[in-house]
Amino acid sequence: MGAPRLILASASPRRRELLNQLGAGYTAEPADIDESQRAGEEASAYVQRMAQEKAQAVAQRFPAPDYVVLAADTTVVLGDTVLGKPRDREEAMAILTSLSGRWHTVLTAVCVSAAGEMDSEVVETRVQFATLSAADCAAYLATSEPWDKAGAYGIQGLGGAFVRTIEGSYTNVVGLPLWETWRLLTAHGIETALTPAAPVAGVAG
């Protein structure tokens, strides 16, 4: 039996770009689940549950042992408040205003479903925003960047100009922490560009 094929349970172009960076071959198959946070659910438990439910939903269509499913979920947390994707301009402006001049936390849960088991990890990065004027926020909201991103900004794009300091994994803030993802995929038999090449049999001399 050959090596399992990797399925990425996400429609995120950022996650595809990061997985491409790892050199892993995969097929993207987004999960369609309810992403509502439960009452009283802590942020770390929420992102982990989301990643696991995404992986589980896609694994039902692409079962082991032929497939390994990779899922992830990212959220931005300010104090005790989870900041999701903005629903409209008013909410996006409120999110950016609340982040201005302050530290916030980005949590990403990475989950691999393989051989009937779930293997997951939550990664935390702290980010400090510069102090933003209303004009700064309005100019950013005039672009297409903020609308499909937790916390209403993309660190890998124009929103990166707002970031003064980062403590932890940069790729975690983008949406897929590469070190943890690489380790999980390798543990479950998925090859990447960092997988050692098989030795070539020599010719006896």
Side-chain angles (χ1 to χ4, degrees):
M1 184 175 63
R5 294 171 56 190
L6 178 63
I7 304 294
L8 173 64
S10 175
S12 165
R14 278 85 58 192
R15 293 195 178 112
R16 291 200 300 269
E17 289 168 6
L18 288 167
L19 203 49
N20 290 340
Q21 192 174 322
L22 269 184
Y26 66 94
T27 301
E29 294 287 347
D32 183 17
I33 64 168
D34 178 2
E35 298 191 27
S36 303
Q37 185 180 10
R38 293 170 179 167
E41 187 175 33
E42 292 186 355
S44 59
Y46 167 61
V47 291
Q48 187 167 43
R49 179 174 64 84
M50 287 294 94
Q52 290 174 345
E53 289 186 4
K54 289 177 183 179
Q56 186 176 37
V58 173
Q60 290 176 352
R61 294 164 18 218
F62 298 91
D66 295 330
Y67 299 95
V68 167
V69 176
L70 169 68
D73 191 76
T74 301
T75 197
V76 173
V77 185
L78 182 65
D80 295 325
T81 303
V82 170
L83 303 177
K85 300 173 184 177
R87 289 168 291 190
D88 51 35
R89 189 183 186 283
E90 183 179 5
E91 185 175 31
M93 179 62 82
I95 289 173
L96 291 176
T97 300
S98 69
L99 294 176
S100 173
R102 301 176 67 184
W103 284 90
H104 63 271
T105 300
V106 179
L107 299 174
T108 298
V110 183
C111 179
V112 168
S113 175
E117 297 182 355
M118 293 278 189
D119 193 358
S120 62
E121 185 167 349
V122 177
V123 182
E124 178 178 322
T125 303
R126 295 185 71 234
V127 180
Q128 183 188 31
F129 256 34
T131 300
L132 306 176
S133 67
D136 296 331
C137 296
Y140 185 56
L141 296 181
T143 74
S144 61
E145 192 172 282
W147 306 108
D148 64 338
K149 298 173 181 66
Y153 77 97
I155 194 172
Q156 76 285 355
L158 188 59
F162 297 159
V163 176
R164 291 194 61 185
T165 310
I166 180 171
E167 294 181 354
S169 167
Y170 168 82
T171 54
N172 181 57
V173 183
V174 179
L176 191 68
L178 281 186
W179 184 80
E180 290 79 6
T181 300
W182 172 47
R183 186 169 53 80
L184 285 169
L185 293 180
T186 300
H188 293 284
I190 298 298
E191 294 186 353
T192 69
L194 295 169
T195 302
V200 177
V203 178

